Amino acid sequence: MLPRRSPCLHLRWTACMYPVVLLVFLYYYVDSTTSAAKSPDNIAVLAEVSLTSSALQDTTLLLNKYAFCHNLSHSNDHNVQASCDNILEPKDVFISVKTTKGYHDTRLPTIFGTWHQLFPESVYYFTDVDSELLNKKTNYHFINTGCGASHWRSSLCCKMAKELEHFLETDAKWFCHVDDDNYLNVPELFNLLERYDYTDDWYIGRRSTAMPVEMVLHTELDKEEDLRFSFATGGAGFCLTKALVLRMKPYLSGGKFIALGEQLRFPDDLLVGYIIEHRLQVNLTIIPEFHSHLEDLHFYDSSLLKRQITISYSDQNTITIDGFSRSQDPTRFYSLHCHLFPKYASFCP
């Protein structure tokens, strides 16, 4: 009996090979589109789309913790009730991001594609121009302060005053300031704040100097006043309780904050520290998990990243972490987000 001939021998070669060619084409097409999707131009879009479920997941975890404690409110176990007294909801923390028009298209997309989506209702942006597009994108949390766009102290103090004044109009218990070059580990921030009583005066952050600031202040009456105080650098972020910000109110309204900054020649974060530590006599609580680009971030131990509150970057100073290539992720924030939330960010490599 002769062996059965393949039916392909009775057909044209191209017709027989079509399924094979199609499979090869699809393989390379999928590979190329995946690579293109993770190009620098598309990674932000992918991140925003894929992290929508991440935001819901993480917010749900936080709300479940709150609901658990809320359900125990009728319990007779006072130890359990006490452990739940400081549980925070997203609306309890006012996260203020200072930005400017020059960074709306560069720095902000990275924030929108990563940590912003974890707790969007907590995040407010303070800038110097109107943007209807970004206002809608942030659920109308995009505020034109009317301040200048420069990095000069008058513009910085103007924005800080607007941030604090806007916070006082809300029911939030905590005010937390970050810059637009910060990655904020929001769940870890909530865990930190829950250790402190929001009804007391708390000033939480990290110094950019090893020791407190020491200087001689020349007053209007030609007298000298020795100053020694600490301040939390705005580049690493800091947090204040509402109780403390209410005590700062006499220094904020009516342009007083800007005027005091000009008088002392202090930028915004230094002025906040001066008012709180020197005038109000509330000491800075130093939290080493806040980080600015003034530190050397290259050699930071990546195994400790999950417990850090903020991370920053500059052109030549970023954390070292596996993930996207440098060209795709120059800030390393997308790679960091994938490291912290690998189950939720489907855009990760």
Side-chain angles (χ1 to χ4, degrees):
M1 182 176 179
L2 294 175
R4 180 178 297 176
R5 290 188 177 185
S6 169
C8 285
L9 295 178
H10 302 286
L11 300 172
R12 295 180 61 186
W13 181 89
T14 53
C16 187
M17 292 299 293
Y18 178 77
V20 177
V21 174
L22 179 60
L23 287 174
V24 172
F25 169 77
L26 288 175
Y27 172 82
Y28 284 104
Y29 175 77
V30 170
D31 182 68
S32 63
T33 53
T34 302
S35 300
K38 292 184 177 179
S39 68
D41 294 334
N42 296 331
I43 188 173
V45 177
L46 265 179
E48 287 194 47
V49 172
S50 66
L51 278 174
T52 302
S53 60
S54 167
L56 295 175
Q57 295 262 14
D58 283 295
T59 302
T60 301
L61 290 176
L62 181 67
L63 293 179
N64 283 347
K65 181 170 66 173
Y66 173 78
F68 171 78
C69 287
H70 182 72
N71 291 335
L72 291 176
S73 60
H74 303 295
S75 170
N76 294 324
D77 189 336
H78 297 292
N79 291 328
V80 171
Q81 289 184 15
S83 68
C84 288
D85 282 347
N86 278 350
I87 294 298
L88 297 171
E89 296 181 78
K91 66 181 180 64
D92 293 329
V93 182
F94 184 101
I95 300 171
S96 175
V97 181
K98 181 184 70 182
T99 187
T100 185
K101 62 180 181 180
Y103 294 138
H104 288 183
D105 297 328
T106 53
R107 293 183 176 182
L108 293 190
T110 305
I111 295 178
F112 294 148
T114 56
W115 65 265
H116 165 93
Q117 295 198 26
L118 296 177
F119 302 99
E121 67 180 274
S122 300
V123 189
Y124 294 77
Y125 295 84
F126 289 82
T127 187
D128 35 59
V129 293
D130 289 319
S131 174
E132 184 62 24
L133 175 64
L134 293 177
N135 202 22
K136 290 181 179 178
K137 191 184 193 72
T138 59
N139 196 24
Y140 301 95
H141 285 187
F142 203 79
I143 298 147
N144 180 4
T145 60
C147 304
S150 73
H151 206 66
W152 188 242
R153 63 172 175 264
S154 59
S155 298
L156 297 176
C157 289
C158 177
K159 284 181 180 174
M160 181 61 70
K162 296 294 185 182
E163 292 175 49
L164 293 167
E165 289 171 357
H166 200 91
F167 162 68
L168 288 176
E169 296 174 358
T170 72
D171 295 326
K173 300 170 181 177
W174 284 92
F175 168 86
C176 292
H177 165 93
V178 294
D179 284 345
D180 56 8
D181 59 355
N182 287 132
Y183 180 95
L184 179 61
N185 186 346
V186 189
E188 200 62 29
L189 172 68
F190 276 64
N191 290 335
L192 170 73
L193 299 181
E194 287 170 358
R195 303 175 203 164
Y196 300 91
D197 187 348
Y198 64 85
T199 64
D200 289 340
D201 296 337
W202 287 105
Y203 176 31
I204 296 174
R206 180 173 181 165
R207 292 193 305 234
S208 61
T209 56
M211 301 297 293
V213 174
E214 294 185 2
M215 63 180 67
V216 176
L217 178 65
H218 296 275
T219 67
E220 295 178 353
L221 301 176
D222 292 329
K223 294 182 179 180
E224 292 185 349
E225 181 182 6
D226 292 328
L227 296 181
R228 188 177 191 274
F229 64 93
S230 293
F231 74 97
T233 177
F238 61 85
C239 296
L240 313 171
T241 53
K242 175 155 281 182
L244 181 54
V245 178
L246 284 171
R247 291 186 61 196
M248 295 176 64
K249 195 171 181 180
Y251 301 97
L252 297 177
S253 59
K256 293 177 183 176
F257 192 81
I258 304 171
L260 185 59
E262 287 298 297
Q263 176 189 338
L264 300 175
R265 298 183 178 181
F266 285 175
D268 52 343
D269 51 0
L270 186 61
L271 186 57
V272 168
Y274 167 79
I275 292 172
I276 293 176
E277 279 224 346
H278 182 71
R279 295 283 182 92
L280 302 181
Q281 295 294 297
V282 176
N283 291 330
L284 171 66
T285 298
I286 298 175
I287 304 295
E289 287 78 18
F290 287 86
H291 301 278
S292 78
H293 63 262
L294 297 177
E295 305 170 49
D296 186 354
L297 299 170
H298 289 101
F299 302 105
Y300 193 81
D301 188 348
S302 60
S303 67
L304 302 176
L305 287 173
K306 290 184 182 294
R307 292 293 171 260
Q308 306 315 302
I309 309 296
T310 60
I311 294 291
S312 187
Y313 71 92
S314 62
D315 290 343
Q316 303 299 324
N317 187 24
T318 62
I319 58 170
T320 300
I321 189 170
D322 293 335
F324 294 101
S325 68
R326 288 279 174 179
S327 61
Q328 293 172 319
D329 182 21
T331 69
R332 312 310 294 153
F333 282 2
Y334 290 106
S335 300
L336 173 60
H337 198 79
C338 291
H339 176 76
L340 297 178
F341 307 103
K343 294 181 181 179
Y344 304 144
S346 60
F347 69 92
C348 296

